[in-house]
Amino acid sequence: MTLSPAEWEAIRLSLLIGLAAVAWILPPGIAAAWWLARYDFKGKAIVDGLIHLPLVLPPVVVGYLLLIALGRQGVIGSWLYSTFGVSLPFTWQGAAVASGVMAFPLLVRALRLSLEAVDPKLEAAASTLGAGRWRVFTTITLPLAVPGLLTGTVLAFARALSEFGATITFASNIPGETRTLPLALYTLIQSPGQESAAARLCVIAIVIALVSLVASEWLARRTRQRLKERDG
């Protein structure tokens, strides 16, 4: 199977944007998962619903909201442009933002479930021995929640790779800049005589998604096994 330069470029951009998306959502994702797992507060259901809203909203709606917020005339976007000269729409960085927003709930959900499974007594014991909250989190809580972190990270990466609606709305479909694998496949479908190229990209997308899911499960199982061996 021979790929054209444009197809290779779409794959490269997909991987770049997927990695960038995961990189920027990791810190807030870990913080949000820990907050939801460890604290009960008024309005928690609303916060949880807002975090998971991208899972049920049409992706085009998410992309439109990003345009309103981060466009040059948006509330945040105008400040970014006037202060730092940063304009996110129609750039690969903007595509990474859109993909990250859509992938964020998967990361938070997987990590939150893993954090909730960590025995709070272990954290309390470490605190009584003089460990601060940050040290308890980095040496006790997070290592025990690594299976969920790995699963959430890989699933978020796979979701970012497959993002279409929010990306095309916020970052458009620009060759060599924002045309990721799903956008390239969409473009080929709209072009007569490109059925074979579209089929190639379809197969590649399926393979990448399947590898991501298998890798997620394998990493989670291997990490759990190592934790059991260490505790044993």
Side-chain angles (χ1 to χ4, degrees):
M1 182 172 60
T2 303
L3 300 178
S4 68
E7 291 167 345
W8 279 116
E9 180 66 14
I11 295 171
R12 184 193 70 83
L13 272 175
S14 293
L15 295 175
L16 172 64
I17 290 171
L19 290 172
V22 170
W24 85 258
I25 66 173
L26 264 180
I30 292 173
W34 177 77
W35 187 36
L36 291 173
R38 285 291 179 264
Y39 291 97
D40 288 319
F41 51 88
K42 290 183 178 180
K44 182 176 180 179
I46 296 176
V47 172
D48 188 57
L50 289 174
I51 288 175
H52 290 85
L53 197 57
L55 289 179
V56 294
L57 273 179
V60 174
V61 173
V62 176
Y64 177 69
L65 293 175
L66 287 174
L67 272 177
I68 294 176
L70 298 177
R72 285 193 181 183
Q73 304 302 319
V75 178
I76 302 174
S78 59
W79 175 78
L80 287 174
Y81 186 69
S82 61
T83 306
F84 304 104
V86 174
S87 179
L88 290 174
F90 315 118
T91 64
W92 74 264
Q93 293 91 341
V97 170
S99 298
V101 170
M102 296 302 298
F104 187 74
L106 294 176
L107 172 65
V108 173
R109 187 169 184 82
L111 182 54
R112 178 187 175 182
L113 292 174
S114 192
L115 287 170
E116 288 176 342
V118 175
D119 190 352
K121 294 180 181 179
L122 297 175
E123 299 171 325
S127 298
T128 58
L129 294 175
R133 181 176 295 180
W134 176 249
R135 187 174 181 183
V136 170
F137 177 74
T138 55
T139 61
I140 302 295
T141 311
L142 193 58
L144 291 176
V146 164
L149 178 61
L150 290 174
T151 300
T153 300
V154 176
L155 289 178
F157 176 70
R159 180 65 185 85
L161 284 178
S162 64
E163 170 50 33
F164 176 82
T167 300
I168 199 171
T169 305
F170 182 61
S172 191
N173 183 11
I174 305 172
E177 181 67 28
T178 64
R179 182 171 290 176
T180 57
L181 189 59
L183 298 182
L185 179 57
Y186 172 78
T187 302
L188 290 173
I189 292 174
Q190 303 301 310
S191 305
Q194 297 294 329
E195 291 79 8
S196 59
R200 286 197 301 269
L201 288 187
C202 182
V203 171
I204 292 172
I206 293 173
V207 170
I208 292 176
L210 184 59
V211 169
S212 299
L213 292 174
V214 172
S216 171
E217 182 64 23
W218 181 81
L219 286 171
R221 287 186 179 182
R222 189 170 181 83
T223 303
R224 283 193 293 265
Q225 183 179 358
R226 287 185 176 180
L227 289 174
K228 288 180 180 179
E229 291 175 353
R230 186 189 68 180
D231 295 339

